[in-house]
Amino acid sequence: MKPKLIVILGPTATGKSDVAVRLAQKYGGEVVSADSRQVYKGLNLGTGKVTEKEMRGIPHHLLDVVSPQQQYTVTDFVRDTKNVFVPIYRYKHIPILVGGTGQYIDTLVFGLQIPNVPPNKKLRMQLEKLSAEKLFSLLHKKDLARAKTIDRHNKRRLIRALEIVDTLGKVPKTKKKSLYSPLYIGLTLPKEKLHENIHKRLIKRLKLGLVAEVQDLHKHGLSWKRMEELGLEYRYISRFLQKKITKKEMLTQLELEIQHYAKRQITWFKRNKNILWFDPKKDVQNIEDTVKRFLTT
């Protein structure tokens, strides 16, 4: 029998962490982050990393794993998550995988094959000279399916995708048999409410010191170039700090890009027809009843 696994997923700003903690308290769970940025130390406000108070005594795993100067890959995530699951299952607890990084979740749960394509140094050197916009345009022409799900501003991921396409013709989507027996709890909100949440959360994080967080990361050795790769908040605030854009431009562009990112997340998750979708506020009891049935059958 495959081990059971609860997966809490959905676009940004839908309250995934809160739901995960509540379910962990009720059903003896431990939370495992499936977020490609929360693994990095020091990336707290910008990634919405759960605080110790918000954990409410529930063990959380795969937060603050590596320095942001290092590269953490989906391969690292699968390896580390499997290691984390071992003691959770041993103590008869239920792992609750929570996050918005669809590639991480799918690769772990379905055992997706990670393309065995070695680095092409010559190609990488050529691609490094191009802007993210140009790289995305190339990928859009060569592999439309991958272009629809990738972060169009992340040069590192764009270059890797083009590297795979150059070798294999396209980024493969081959699936193996699922390694776990998963229950997918998807959190969804009406578009207007989601955008409202994104706006409120961004303003709150700025008031809590998000700009200072980015300044501190740079002060301690994190390059502006690396900041561009670490997600929207770090990208646009670093541009503001370098005086490439005004504060008003930073706020407007950042909020719009977060909305676009949420849309890409939704597009990715909609491919999985096994996800049960709930409103995190209206369907609290329905979520709990669904999890209870899953764990007792």
Side-chain angles (χ1 to χ4, degrees):
M1 182 180 292
K2 296 176 186 176
K4 291 186 176 181
L5 171 66
I6 297 172
V7 183
I8 310 294
L9 51 77
T12 188
T14 48
K16 295 183 291 293
S17 294
D18 184 61
V19 171
V21 167
R22 189 171 66 246
L23 291 175
Q25 289 179 316
K26 193 171 184 69
Y27 297 110
E30 297 188 27
V31 175
V32 182
S33 173
D35 188 294
S36 61
R37 300 187 302 154
Q38 291 186 3
V39 295
Y40 293 113
K41 299 174 183 177
L43 273 62
N44 301 322
L45 290 171
T47 66
K49 196 176 294 178
V50 62
T51 64
E52 187 172 347
K53 181 180 179 181
E54 291 168 338
M55 291 179 186
R56 303 201 289 274
I58 296 298
H60 280 63
H61 305 275
L62 297 191
L63 301 173
D64 301 319
V65 176
V66 296
S67 163
Q69 293 179 335
Q70 296 176 251
Q71 297 284 356
Y72 190 87
T73 68
V74 64
T75 303
D76 297 324
F77 169 77
V78 171
R79 178 200 64 221
D80 292 345
T81 304
K82 288 180 178 179
N83 289 338
V84 164
F85 281 177
V86 172
I88 294 177
Y89 285 125
R90 182 185 301 137
Y91 290 111
K92 308 297 182 183
H93 291 172
I94 181 73
I96 302 176
L97 193 67
V98 55
T101 306
Q103 183 192 26
Y104 278 24
I105 294 170
D106 287 354
T107 304
L108 173 74
V109 179
F110 289 112
L112 288 183
Q113 292 179 333
I114 301 170
N116 185 22
V117 176
N120 184 331
K121 292 184 179 180
K122 184 178 179 180
L123 178 62
R124 286 190 178 189
M125 288 178 64
Q126 295 172 349
L127 296 176
E128 278 284 356
K129 298 174 183 177
L130 303 179
S131 65
E133 183 179 5
K134 181 62 177 176
L135 291 169
F136 178 77
S137 179
L138 285 173
L139 183 61
H140 192 272
K141 292 176 182 177
K142 293 173 179 289
D143 190 344
L144 180 59
R146 182 65 181 109
K148 287 182 177 179
T149 59
I150 201 168
D151 179 353
R152 62 191 300 158
H153 299 291
N154 191 319
K155 286 189 67 173
R156 179 176 62 84
R157 289 190 181 178
L158 288 165
I159 289 172
R160 179 56 180 165
L162 285 166
E163 191 174 52
I164 294 170
V165 169
D166 184 71
T167 303
L168 303 180
K170 67 176 182 178
V171 179
K173 300 177 181 62
T174 307
K175 293 184 178 182
K176 295 180 180 178
K177 196 173 182 180
S178 178
L179 304 176
Y180 303 92
S181 175
L183 170 66
Y184 292 101
I185 300 292
L187 302 185
T188 184
L189 291 169
K191 183 178 178 180
E192 296 76 15
K193 179 61 177 175
L194 179 61
H195 287 184
E196 179 187 335
N197 283 3
I198 288 171
H199 174 77
K200 288 181 177 179
R201 189 183 65 173
L202 176 58
I203 298 304
K204 179 181 179 181
R205 291 178 182 177
L206 287 167
K207 287 180 179 178
L208 289 172
L210 180 52
V211 173
E213 177 174 288
V214 178
Q215 286 176 316
D216 191 59
L217 286 166
H218 182 63
K219 180 181 177 181
H220 287 85
L222 199 62
S223 69
W224 296 126
K225 180 181 178 182
R226 177 61 175 146
M227 213 83 75
E228 286 278 331
E229 301 174 344
L230 289 172
L232 298 171
E233 293 83 359
Y234 299 97
R235 181 178 307 140
Y236 282 95
I237 291 175
S238 66
R239 290 176 185 176
F240 163 66
L241 292 173
Q242 294 173 84
K243 303 189 185 305
K244 292 182 177 180
I245 56 176
T246 65
K247 184 176 182 179
K248 183 178 180 180
E249 289 171 333
M250 176 195 76
L251 290 170
T252 302
Q253 293 173 20
L254 178 53
E255 185 169 337
L256 184 61
E257 286 296 335
I258 294 173
Q259 291 175 5
H260 290 165
Y261 173 62
K263 185 177 180 180
R264 291 196 300 275
Q265 288 178 299
I266 294 169
T267 298
W268 179 288
F269 290 129
K270 278 187 175 179
R271 300 180 306 174
N272 185 345
K273 303 307 178 184
N274 293 317
I275 297 174
L276 304 175
W277 292 99
F278 300 92
D279 183 304
K281 296 297 183 182
K282 297 178 181 179
D283 297 326
V284 173
Q285 191 60 52
N286 286 341
I287 293 172
E288 292 184 358
D289 290 345
T290 300
V291 171
K292 183 178 181 180
R293 285 194 299 271
F294 171 71
L295 295 176
T296 55
T297 54

